[in-house]
Amino acid sequence: MFKINENYLKLPGSYLFSTIAKKVAAYKEANPDRQVISLGIGDVTQPLAPAVIEALHRAVDEMGAAETFHGYAPDLGYEFLRRAIIDNDYRSRSVDIALDEVFVSDGAKSDSGNIVDIFAVDNRIAVTDPVYPVYVDSNAMSGKTGEYIKEKECWSNVIYMPCTAENNFVPHFPDETPDIIYICCPNNPTGTTLKKEELQKWVDYANDKKAVIIYDAAYEAYISESDVPHSIYECDGAKTCAIEMRSFSKNAGFTGTRLGFTVVPKELKSSGTSLNQLWARRHGTKFNGAPYIIQRAGEAVYSEAGKAQTKQQIAYYMKNASQIREELTNMGYTVFGGVNAPYIWLQTPEGMKSWDFFDVLLERANVVGTPGSGFGPSGEGYFRLTAFGSAESTAQALERIRAL
Amino acid sequence: MFKINENYLKLPGSYLFSTIAKKVAAYKEANPDRQVISLGIGDVTQPLAPAVIEALHRAVDEMGAAETFHGYAPDLGYEFLRRAIIDNDYRSRSVDIALDEVFVSDGAKSDSGNIVDIFAVDNRIAVTDPVYPVYVDSNAMSGKTGEYIKEKECWSNVIYMPCTAENNFVPHFPDETPDIIYICCPNNPTGTTLKKEELQKWVDYANDKKAVIIYDAAYEAYISESDVPHSIYECDGAKTCAIEMRSFSKNAGFTGTRLGFTVVPKELKSSGTSLNQLWARRHGTKFNGAPYIIQRAGEAVYSEAGKAQTKQQIAYYMKNASQIREELTNMGYTVFGGVNAPYIWLQTPEGMKSWDFFDVLLERANVVGTPGSGFGPSGEGYFRLTAFGSAESTAQALERIRAL
């Protein structure tokens, strides 16, 4: 008789964004005349850049002729893309990454979920709190998180590192020693960052404890301040303790186009076994590459025109971010993030519960955001707004919030 | 201190096709004047069908304008594609599959590798032997296969079901009772099939033993005989015991375009928990959908023009298959497959070892195939040729084999 993976049964309720989608749908059905604006889910709205569109058309044409047709891609991804990544994202910042340390994938969500495969069950994970739910859920599914404690909304075997206004969103080293540490910087959901000297301390800590850092840099392109690192490998010693994940979703609007990559340095080892080799095996056995035409689109993001055009898109979203920041501050809200990230993290007024504020915003302003508590216990009393809307809808949402 | 998943260390050597690639590269380097023809890896060579190319261009244009841009896809895939799948692959064969039982993915390799996630470690798997390596390797990586026994080239906790000329490539029910049974039909690598009444017996067996069948139907489009089932759900009772995987790689040449889907019926349950729900959770947490433009390409495969064009491609490959079958038979080889599948499975002459025949073919005919033993112990003494080459190179390869 077959047996299911019972760890799945321990997962609490539904995924945060499904719950929100259901609440919004119910509200819209009951109030068909209201026009609801979403500053909720982190999905982009600007179209793909012209340089990317051109590259896609060219690659599609290649797929239509036998002489230029492409079948199975190389396991790690096409060299033209890995080379563009290395030159633009790493060499330009004096970071030396080898071609076979870059693994092209269908996105950072898949990679950050699948990376758990190469680690043993008895690793203790540490996450910043609030946190992107995929890190915890994927570990829960593979049996690494213990039991879910409903009243505390947390897992018995996960080390939560609170990131709140009190510690300026910089996690302290935990009392218990973790084996795997998840850091997302610029952070989703708080929109805050670690400065390079702060990240260096975490790299030193990980090397000291022989822990591994899973570093999610999906929002790297939004960094505007010079003391915030773009890659963890800017820190000394990071290659012996860190795996870095990147995405084309937010820097080039690829949420529906699907492309990302993970860097696993060969120096990162456990008892002589390189994690690069383990991930290569996982990648080669359980994945078959991103589509050729999508890899060509990714290459175009690094072309001169692509860089200029995607920079404009980011500027567009960041203008929304600073508008949200500024106006909410003027309204009296306490606001974080939005400087090096497309997320604004605000304190709910008068200590209101996150989900109560969600209801108020939905019902009275017809604006959808994300309740902070959905990202973890320390998110309670906070609320996330994204800068990914159009300039018009963002302005309108702010007007409605002002009128509350 | 972090610990790796030590199951990875048990995996034997490198992936079959990497070994072949290395051998071929070495031969080419030593013999730069020889033109090597590959009938080895199962990669297609014909370009994408015009209807698919058109759909891709249209979808690319949509991604370039804000009004028609697509961000994150629905978790299960776009409804337009799932509906086309249901109508064309199932309803047309009187099989009733619901919209939320179809999960669109980036390919059958990913799905057949990832499906292990939803099962407990202590399941006993059974595979036909020879077998597509991903089924076994993905189970090995998740600790379900015991220890690798090098001298026998098999795993201690896997039930191997020999499929050879002796049993006409129809596996017998094993002595020990399996929990999870992998069936690939039409079969990779043997190119043989189960008839509907034979598959029905396996469905009845699985229901009786409360086992689950992972049914890989990636080569379904190559079926030419009427008594071979296109879907396992054509068998009575299959919805309570079977998961079916399909691919666009071989029916429409999507090996480098990446699209597939998995059907998990809601009736398939373990102690009241539906596997559909578990896979939905896995899919939603560790995957973010196939690209919008690729899903539109998949939809176009089901258009009238798409169907006609891909049918032509299949006929092209199947003409190669019957030519290989016929000519090898005339040369005195004993040959199987190639009627309902693009693979020809031949017995090596005079009981030669599979790898020895590989060397002879490479060195003396400059033709690359795949040694049967690479697919499992019962593949020893067999050899796989694929029909995915061009008509010209296939004819030339046959000429060279004749001259041996």
Side-chain angles (χ1 to χ4, degrees):
Chain A
M1 188 175 79
F2 76 88
K3 284 132 276 180
I4 58 167
N5 175 352
E6 299 210 333
N7 295 312
Y8 276 60
L9 306 182
K10 299 178 187 171
L11 290 164
S14 74
Y15 189 60
L16 171 63
F17 294 106
S18 322
T19 311
I20 293 173
K22 276 179 205 150
K23 275 193 170 244
V24 173
Y27 179 81
K28 282 181 177 170
E29 206 186 310
N31 304 275
D33 54 317
R34 301 296 177 83
Q35 204 225 335
V36 174
I37 298 175
S38 175
L39 301 181
I41 194 166
D43 199 359
V44 297
T45 51
Q46 294 291 297
L48 294 181
V52 172
I53 294 291
E54 270 171 47
L56 282 166
H57 278 306
R58 262 199 314 274
V60 168
D61 283 334
E62 285 185 71
M63 294 296 281
E67 313 75 53
T68 50
F69 175 78
H70 285 78
Y72 289 121
D75 264 7
L76 272 61
Y78 281 100
E79 194 172 316
F80 61 74
L81 178 55
R82 286 182 289 136
R83 205 168 280 285
I85 287 167
I86 285 173
D87 288 348
N88 290 279
D89 287 327
Y90 296 103
R91 194 158 298 159
S92 68
R93 298 186 188 281
S94 308
V95 174
D96 191 30
I97 297 290
L99 262 182
D100 55 357
E101 293 178 317
V102 177
F103 297 81
V104 173
S105 76
D106 63 325
K109 182 181 171 189
S110 305
D111 284 353
S112 62
N114 289 328
I115 197 77
V116 300
D117 285 12
I118 65 169
F119 294 104
V121 174
D122 60 340
N123 282 290
R124 190 90 194 271
I125 71 155
V127 295
T128 53
D129 170 25
V131 66
Y132 176 50
V134 169
Y135 311 151
V136 176
D137 289 358
S138 57
N139 275 286
M141 289 166 163
S142 62
K144 298 184 180 75
T145 56
E147 302 301 318
Y148 188 70
I149 306 161
K150 209 177 168 186
E151 51 277 23
K152 289 187 179 174
E153 294 189 338
C154 68
W155 293 86
S156 63
N157 199 36
V158 170
I159 299 169
Y160 292 88
M161 305 183 293
C163 289
T164 61
E166 282 69 45
N167 62 5
N168 203 23
F169 302 96
V170 178
H172 298 304
F173 298 135
D175 296 334
E176 297 163 284
T177 306
D179 303 307
I180 302 173
I181 303 160
Y182 285 83
I183 297 178
C184 175
C185 178
N187 190 257
N188 175 15
T190 68
T192 60
T193 58
L194 298 179
K195 294 187 196 309
K196 191 175 162 190
E197 61 191 56
E198 290 161 344
L199 185 60
Q200 181 66 57
K201 285 181 194 161
W202 275 97
V203 168
D204 295 342
Y205 173 84
N207 275 321
D208 181 45
K209 304 290 185 192
K210 299 197 188 312
V212 63
I213 296 175
I214 311 292
Y215 191 75
D216 183 347
Y219 298 93
E220 168 274 336
Y222 292 83
I223 294 171
S224 67
E225 293 179 322
S226 63
D227 54 357
V228 178
H230 288 251
S231 162
I232 194 167
Y233 304 116
E234 293 176 44
C235 295
D236 293 333
K239 283 192 186 175
T240 54
C241 71
I243 291 172
E244 178 164 295
M245 283 155 191
R246 295 273 191 112
S247 166
F248 288 77
S249 286
K250 306 301 162 81
N251 68 333
F254 274 40
T255 52
T257 305
R258 312 302 317 139
L259 194 66
F261 64 90
T262 289
V263 175
V264 189
K266 280 176 272 189
E267 288 106 298
L268 177 52
K269 288 181 182 175
S270 166
S271 321
T273 303
S274 162
L275 295 203
N276 179 283
Q277 194 184 322
L278 297 186
W279 187 242
R281 188 73 200 231
R282 201 263 167 218
H283 210 72
T285 303
K286 298 177 74 173
F287 182 61
N288 226 338
Y292 171 73
I293 58 178
I294 306 295
Q295 294 197 45
R296 281 291 182 201
E299 180 190 37
V301 170
Y302 295 107
S303 67
E304 284 314 308
K307 281 194 267 195
Q309 292 160 3
T310 53
K311 205 172 161 185
Q312 269 187 338
Q313 289 177 353
I314 289 165
Y316 178 94
Y317 294 132
M318 287 310 281
K319 202 172 158 192
N320 289 342
S322 63
Q323 200 189 359
I324 299 174
R325 252 184 90 86
E326 213 167 285
E327 298 203 17
L328 287 179
T329 305
N330 290 342
M331 294 177 215
Y333 287 90
T334 306
V335 172
F336 306 95
V339 175
N340 298 297
Y343 294 124
I344 285 84
W345 190 244
L346 58 106
Q347 276 178 335
T348 55
E350 295 150 24
M352 202 184 273
K353 293 265 181 193
S354 299
W355 276 108
D356 291 340
F357 187 66
F358 174 89
D359 291 334
V360 167
L361 223 55
L362 173 61
E363 285 160 25
R364 292 182 35 211
N366 302 155
V367 170
V368 179
T370 312
S373 58
F375 296 102
S378 297
E380 183 59 272
Y382 291 90
F383 200 80
R384 191 188 80 173
L385 293 176
T386 91
F388 288 127
S390 69
E392 299 71 30
S393 64
T394 303
Q396 207 184 341
L398 287 167
E399 210 167 290
R400 292 187 193 168
I401 295 173
R402 192 181 298 111
L404 273 179
Chain B
M1 190 174 78
F2 77 89
K3 283 133 277 178
I4 59 168
N5 176 352
E6 298 209 333
N7 295 311
Y8 276 62
L9 305 181
K10 300 178 185 171
L11 290 164
S14 74
Y15 190 60
L16 172 62
F17 294 105
S18 321
T19 311
I20 293 173
K22 276 178 205 150
K23 275 193 168 245
V24 173
Y27 179 82
K28 283 183 177 171
E29 207 185 308
N31 303 276
D33 54 318
R34 301 297 176 84
Q35 202 225 337
V36 174
I37 297 174
S38 175
L39 302 181
I41 193 166
D43 199 358
V44 297
T45 51
Q46 294 291 298
L48 294 181
V52 172
I53 293 291
E54 271 170 48
L56 282 167
H57 279 306
R58 262 199 314 274
V60 167
D61 283 333
E62 285 185 72
M63 295 296 282
E67 312 76 54
T68 50
F69 175 78
H70 285 77
Y72 289 121
D75 264 8
L76 272 61
Y78 281 99
E79 194 173 316
F80 61 75
L81 178 56
R82 286 183 288 138
R83 204 169 280 284
I85 288 167
I86 286 173
D87 289 347
N88 291 278
D89 287 327
Y90 296 103
R91 194 158 300 159
S92 67
R93 299 188 188 280
S94 307
V95 174
D96 192 32
I97 297 291
L99 263 182
D100 55 356
E101 293 178 318
V102 177
F103 297 80
V104 173
S105 76
D106 63 324
K109 181 180 173 192
S110 305
D111 283 353
S112 63
N114 289 327
I115 197 78
V116 301
D117 284 12
I118 65 169
F119 295 104
V121 174
D122 59 340
N123 282 289
R124 189 90 194 271
I125 72 156
V127 295
T128 53
D129 169 25
V131 66
Y132 176 51
V134 169
Y135 310 150
V136 176
D137 289 358
S138 58
N139 276 286
M141 288 167 164
S142 62
K144 298 183 178 75
T145 57
E147 301 301 318
Y148 188 70
I149 307 161
K150 208 176 168 187
E151 52 276 23
K152 291 187 179 174
E153 294 188 341
C154 69
W155 293 86
S156 63
N157 199 36
V158 170
I159 300 170
Y160 291 88
M161 304 183 293
C163 290
T164 61
E166 282 69 44
N167 62 4
N168 204 23
F169 303 95
V170 177
H172 298 305
F173 297 134
D175 296 334
E176 296 163 283
T177 306
D179 303 308
I180 302 173
I181 302 160
Y182 285 82
I183 297 179
C184 176
C185 177
N187 189 257
N188 175 15
T190 69
T192 61
T193 58
L194 298 180
K195 294 187 196 310
K196 191 176 161 191
E197 61 193 56
E198 290 162 343
L199 185 60
Q200 181 67 56
K201 284 182 195 161
W202 275 97
V203 168
D204 295 342
Y205 174 83
N207 275 321
D208 181 44
K209 305 292 186 192
K210 299 197 188 315
V212 63
I213 296 175
I214 310 292
Y215 192 75
D216 183 346
Y219 299 92
E220 168 275 334
Y222 292 83
I223 295 171
S224 67
E225 293 179 323
S226 63
D227 53 356
V228 178
H230 288 251
S231 163
I232 194 167
Y233 304 117
E234 292 177 44
C235 295
D236 293 333
K239 283 191 186 175
T240 54
C241 70
I243 291 172
E244 178 164 296
M245 283 155 191
R246 296 273 191 111
S247 166
F248 289 77
S249 287
K250 308 299 160 85
N251 68 334
F254 274 40
T255 52
T257 305
R258 312 303 316 140
L259 194 66
F261 63 91
T262 288
V263 176
V264 189
K266 280 176 273 188
E267 287 105 300
L268 178 51
K269 287 180 182 176
S270 167
S271 322
T273 303
S274 162
L275 295 203
N276 178 284
Q277 195 184 322
L278 297 186
W279 186 243
R281 188 72 200 231
R282 201 263 168 219
H283 210 73
T285 303
K286 297 177 74 172
F287 182 60
N288 225 339
Y292 171 73
I293 59 178
I294 306 296
Q295 294 198 45
R296 281 290 183 202
E299 181 192 36
V301 171
Y302 294 108
S303 66
E304 284 315 309
K307 281 193 268 195
Q309 293 160 2
T310 53
K311 206 172 159 183
Q312 270 187 339
Q313 290 177 352
I314 290 166
Y316 178 95
Y317 294 133
M318 287 310 282
K319 203 173 158 190
N320 289 343
S322 62
Q323 199 189 359
I324 300 174
R325 252 186 89 86
E326 214 167 285
E327 299 202 18
L328 287 179
T329 306
N330 290 342
M331 292 178 215
Y333 286 90
T334 305
V335 172
F336 306 94
V339 175
N340 298 297
Y343 294 125
I344 285 85
W345 190 244
L346 59 107
Q347 276 177 335
T348 56
E350 296 151 23
M352 201 184 272
K353 292 265 180 193
S354 299
W355 276 108
D356 290 342
F357 188 66
F358 173 90
D359 289 336
V360 167
L361 224 55
L362 174 60
E363 286 161 25
R364 293 182 35 212
N366 302 154
V367 171
V368 179
T370 313
S373 59
F375 296 102
S378 297
E380 183 58 274
Y382 291 91
F383 200 79
R384 191 188 79 172
L385 293 176
T386 91
F388 288 127
S390 69
E392 299 70 32
S393 65
T394 303
Q396 206 185 343
L398 287 168
E399 210 167 291
R400 293 187 193 167
I401 296 173
R402 192 180 300 110
L404 273 180

